[in-house]
């Protein structure tokens, strides 16, 4: 009998990282590793790190140190860093954090099992030297599909060659998705949520002056529609009811496949997958929004009219310094266009305050936009320099104390405005997907305008027992901050109303 090998995956950061962790889990399960939930119960703890901003990097280091402590009084024998922070810093991270027994980059994902076995056996796998991953793919998007480059979510082997359908073991363990196409990954779910993310693409071709992500995630490359559809069908078979499409920039999907409007044709196909009740698209660039895409997002059954728009700021001068486009008036026009087609549409965004050169009048312009935009959810971040970004070299920096004051000021405004927006929804009838039930909050779900983790929730008032994954129709009767309180009117698929269930 082969030796028992256990591994736990600890995931930090965004939904893209969650997908990467499930790909790693699929590869490890296919090679005989036993996946466990708690790092303390694992021979190897794999921490999928985030390298986006300083706070996220600190959380990643803390998670690695916490896992390392388990080696003194638990089963854990090795702690390994993967993910964006590991890819971004490589040897530098390994030298600064000797508690990590291995620091693996994206090129190691194809043979993650072999890498972990080497480390577990006491061997050393040299940490990679970081490189600008934008330079690994052709400049022309149309030439990227056949490039032999490791791309998380696209399932290359350790040699960089695309995986073929014959590569996975013939007898995959239960719960592991088979690789159904040349770039379709193995995948194993790490939870039982009725919601799962699916990658549309990897990387980004935009050159925002504050963002380092393209340097370690690489240039933009789409996944093929057949792979996205195949993975969605598999997830539906695993009990998933809502799919969230993720990438660094979903509005660019298809440009390297010869059709920039490919998302408009893919969405109805995904919505038609048996068992799927909702499709949600995240990470939309305002400057790339097309009338046809707005039409599909607002007018397709089971596609959520949800707009996760990356505004970042609204003062034109600040946006130009960020190497972005638009301004308050054009952004408000975009939101008006959306709401004319779908009055209940959800809209959220993130904003950076204290960007180099930001004046008080620029901040006032941002406050004007936020006040008039009626966004359902708002994230506000204070600017800080990021290694290797253009903005880090800008001279007109805002004093850190002023950045902190502006962050607090805009955050207070955002909290007030999103609570007002939630209150505006009282009286609306919504389709709500049940996420969980617990003793403290009761039945907790999300309407179409509420994405997992980032937005508010809907607390359901009902006498019925509703399991996660059920879709209900509910009327909003109150709000609590950004959260809604709604009375269940009917449960889809049962033919009964709330009154009938009492």
């Amino acid at each position: 009998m082969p030796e028992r090998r256990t591994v736990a995956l600890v995931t930090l950061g965004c939904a893209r990282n969650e997908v990467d962790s499930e790909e790693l889990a699929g590869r490890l399960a296919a090679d005989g590793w036993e996946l466990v939930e708690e790092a303390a119960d694992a021979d190897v703890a794999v921490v999928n790190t985030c390298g986006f901003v300083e706070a996220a990097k600190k959380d990643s280091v803390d998670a690695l140190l916490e896992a390392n402590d388990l080696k003194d009084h638990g089963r854990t024998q090795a702690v390994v860093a993967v993910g964006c922070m590991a890819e971004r810093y490589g040897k530098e991270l390994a030298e600064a954090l000797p508690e990590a027994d291995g620091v693996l980059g994206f090129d190691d994902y194809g043979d993650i099992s072999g890498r972990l076995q080497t480390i577990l056996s006491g061997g050393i796998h040299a940490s990679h030297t970081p490189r600008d991953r934008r330079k690994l793919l052709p400049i022309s998007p149309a030439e990227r599909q056949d490039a032999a480059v490791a791309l998380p979510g696209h399932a290359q082997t350790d040699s960089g060659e695309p995986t073929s359908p014959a590569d996975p073991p013939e007898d995959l363990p239960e719960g592991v998705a088979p690789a159904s196409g040349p770039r379709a990954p193995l995948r194993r779910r790490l939870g039982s949520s009725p919601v799962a993310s699916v990658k549309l693409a990897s990387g980004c071709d935009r050159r925002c002056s504050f963002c380092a992500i393209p340097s370690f995630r690489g240039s933009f490359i789409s996944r093929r529609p057949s792979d996205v559809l195949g993975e969605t069908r598999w997830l539906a078979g695993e009990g998933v009811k809502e799919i969230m499409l993720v990438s660094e920039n979903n509005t660019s999907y298809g440009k390297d496949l010869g059709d920039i409007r490919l998302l408009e044709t893919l969405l109805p196909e995904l919505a038609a997958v048996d068992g799927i009740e909702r499709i949600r698209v995240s990470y939309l660039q305002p400057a790339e929004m097309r009338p046809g895409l707005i039409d599909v997002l607002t007018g397709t059954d089971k596609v959520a009219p949800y707009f996760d728009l990356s505004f970042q700021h609204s003062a034109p001068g600040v946006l130009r310094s960020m190497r972005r486009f638009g301004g308050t008036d054009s952004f408000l026009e975009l939101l008006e266009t959306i709401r004319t087609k779908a009055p209940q549409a959800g809209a959220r965004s993130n904003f950076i305050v204290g960007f180099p050169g930001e004046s008080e009048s620029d901040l006032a312009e941002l406050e004007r936009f936020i006040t008039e935009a009626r966004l359902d959810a708002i994230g506000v971040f204070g600017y800080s320099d990021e290694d290797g970004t253009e903005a880090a070299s800008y001279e007109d920096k805002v004093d850190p104390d002023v950045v902190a004051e502006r962050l607090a000021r805009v955050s207070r405004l955002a909290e007030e405005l999103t609570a007002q927006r939630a209150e505006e929804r009282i009286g609306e009838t919504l389709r709500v997907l049940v996420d969980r039930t617990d003793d403290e909050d009761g039945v907790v779900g999300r309407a179409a305008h509420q994405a997992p983790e980032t937005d508010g929730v809907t607390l359901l008032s009902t006498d019925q027992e509703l399991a996660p994954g059920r879709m209900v129709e509910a009327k909003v009767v109150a709000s609590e901050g950004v959260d809604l309180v709604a009375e269940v009117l009917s449960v889809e698929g049962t033919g009964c109303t709330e009154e009938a269930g009492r």
Side-chain angles (χ1 to χ4, degrees):
M1 179 178 293
E3 181 182 357
R4 181 172 181 250
R5 302 174 298 175
T6 56
V7 60
L9 285 141
V10 180
T11 307
L12 293 94
C14 64
R16 299 184 295 272
N17 253 19
E18 294 172 5
V19 177
D20 291 348
S21 285
E22 293 197 348
E23 178 190 339
L24 293 175
R27 290 180 177 277
L28 291 166
D31 202 45
W33 289 77
E34 181 180 338
L35 296 160
V36 296
E37 290 186 11
E38 300 296 332
D41 299 327
D43 296 319
V44 183
V46 177
V47 179
N48 192 349
T49 61
C50 178
F52 182 39
V53 293
E54 285 303 319
K57 286 182 264 189
K58 182 182 183 301
D59 289 344
S60 296
V61 170
D62 289 346
L64 287 163
L65 293 174
E66 183 179 340
N68 182 69
D69 289 342
L70 298 173
K71 291 192 288 188
D72 296 330
H73 50 264
R75 177 188 176 100
T76 309
Q77 301 174 51
V79 175
V80 175
V82 299
C84 291
M85 189 176 180
E87 174 63 39
R88 185 175 181 183
Y89 294 104
K91 290 181 178 180
E92 181 182 343
L93 177 61
E95 292 169 359
L97 198 69
E99 292 85 353
D101 299 285
V103 176
L104 306 181
F106 298 152
D107 293 332
D108 294 305
Y109 283 21
D111 188 28
I112 186 67
S113 176
R115 303 292 194 266
L116 296 191
Q117 185 60 57
T118 296
I119 294 168
L120 184 60
S121 301
I124 297 175
H125 179 72
S127 301
H128 77 107
T129 300
R131 47 189 176 163
D132 188 336
R133 297 191 72 85
R134 291 171 293 190
K135 298 179 180 179
L136 302 182
L137 289 165
I139 294 176
S140 169
E143 298 176 2
R144 294 174 187 166
Q145 284 291 321
D146 297 324
V149 176
L151 300 167
H154 295 245
Q156 280 80 5
T157 65
D158 58 335
S159 65
E161 293 299 326
T163 304
S164 72
D167 286 330
E170 292 183 5
D171 298 319
L172 286 174
E174 183 177 354
V176 176
S180 58
R183 286 186 181 269
L186 297 172
R187 182 170 178 174
R188 167 79 174 266
R189 295 212 73 202
L190 292 174
S192 57
S193 169
V195 185
S197 296
V198 173
K199 276 193 178 181
L200 269 185
S202 294
C204 185
D205 286 342
R206 300 184 72 88
R207 294 296 179 263
C208 302
S209 62
F210 57 83
C211 184
I213 290 175
S215 66
F216 56 85
R217 276 288 184 179
S219 298
F220 185 89
I221 181 168
S222 302
R223 293 183 65 200
R224 295 188 180 278
S226 58
D227 290 345
V228 177
L229 276 165
E231 192 167 333
T232 298
R233 293 188 183 104
W234 175 78
L235 287 166
E238 294 291 303
V240 169
K241 298 299 181 182
E242 178 178 322
I243 292 296
M244 186 163 71
L245 299 177
V246 300
S247 75
E248 281 73 19
N249 178 10
N250 280 336
T251 35
S252 282
Y253 180 69
K255 73 174 188 178
D256 52 323
L257 295 172
D259 185 1
I260 192 60
R261 295 176 176 81
L262 195 56
L263 184 55
E264 285 97 302
T265 57
L266 177 61
L267 284 171
E269 294 182 72
L270 292 171
V273 171
D274 189 34
I276 295 298
E277 293 296 331
R278 179 184 290 157
I279 301 292
R280 183 185 303 278
V281 184
S282 60
Y283 305 111
L284 300 169
Q285 288 290 341
E288 297 181 29
M289 291 300 296
R290 307 175 292 276
L293 180 56
I294 294 173
D295 288 342
V296 172
L297 288 170
T298 56
T300 305
D301 186 38
K302 296 188 177 181
V303 173
Y306 176 79
F307 293 81
D308 176 13
L309 294 159
S310 178
F311 290 124
Q312 301 299 345
H313 211 282
S314 74
V318 175
L319 287 168
R320 301 305 174 268
S321 293
M322 289 179 168
R323 296 203 179 278
R324 297 178 65 83
F325 306 94
T328 298
D329 294 335
S330 64
F331 291 164
L332 290 174
E333 288 174 8
L334 172 60
L335 291 169
E336 178 62 25
T337 297
I338 291 167
R339 288 171 176 146
T340 297
K341 295 176 180 296
Q344 289 188 342
R348 76 169 322 276
S349 192
N350 294 324
F351 300 92
I352 298 172
V353 297
F355 191 79
E358 181 190 62
S359 64
E360 278 294 332
S361 62
D362 291 329
L363 190 69
E365 184 73 1
L366 175 60
E367 290 174 319
R368 178 172 81 88
F369 171 66
I370 293 176
T371 301
E372 297 182 27
R374 296 170 55 236
L375 300 172
D376 293 280
I378 298 171
V380 187
F381 302 88
Y383 173 82
S384 62
D385 287 339
E386 278 295 312
D387 298 336
T389 62
E390 180 184 352
S393 67
Y394 289 177
E395 295 182 355
D396 195 10
K397 298 288 172 59
V398 179
D399 183 273
D401 290 339
V402 176
V403 174
E405 186 277 327
R406 291 179 180 178
L407 174 61
R409 171 176 150 187
V410 177
S411 295
R412 287 193 298 269
L413 177 63
E415 184 176 355
E416 177 184 340
L417 292 171
T418 51
Q420 290 177 8
R421 177 63 181 138
E423 190 174 356
E424 289 178 12
R425 290 191 179 275
I426 295 175
E428 290 185 0
T429 298
L430 308 172
R431 286 184 83 224
V432 180
L433 177 69
V434 177
D435 265 349
R436 68 179 192 277
T437 59
D438 57 50
D439 294 335
E440 181 178 354
D441 296 320
V443 184
V444 182
R446 289 174 302 97
H449 70 279
Q450 297 169 321
E453 307 297 336
T454 58
D455 305 335
V457 299
T458 298
L459 307 174
L460 292 169
S461 174
T462 178
D463 291 337
Q464 300 183 63
E465 291 187 6
L466 295 174
R470 296 310 300 264
M471 188 71 80
V472 306
E473 186 180 70
K475 183 177 182 179
V476 181
V477 295
S479 62
E480 299 177 0
V482 296
D483 298 332
L484 303 178
V485 179
E487 293 181 349
V488 174
L489 302 176
S490 63
V491 181
E492 293 186 12
T494 65
C496 67
T497 65
E498 172 67 5
E499 288 295 327
R502 289 181 177 176

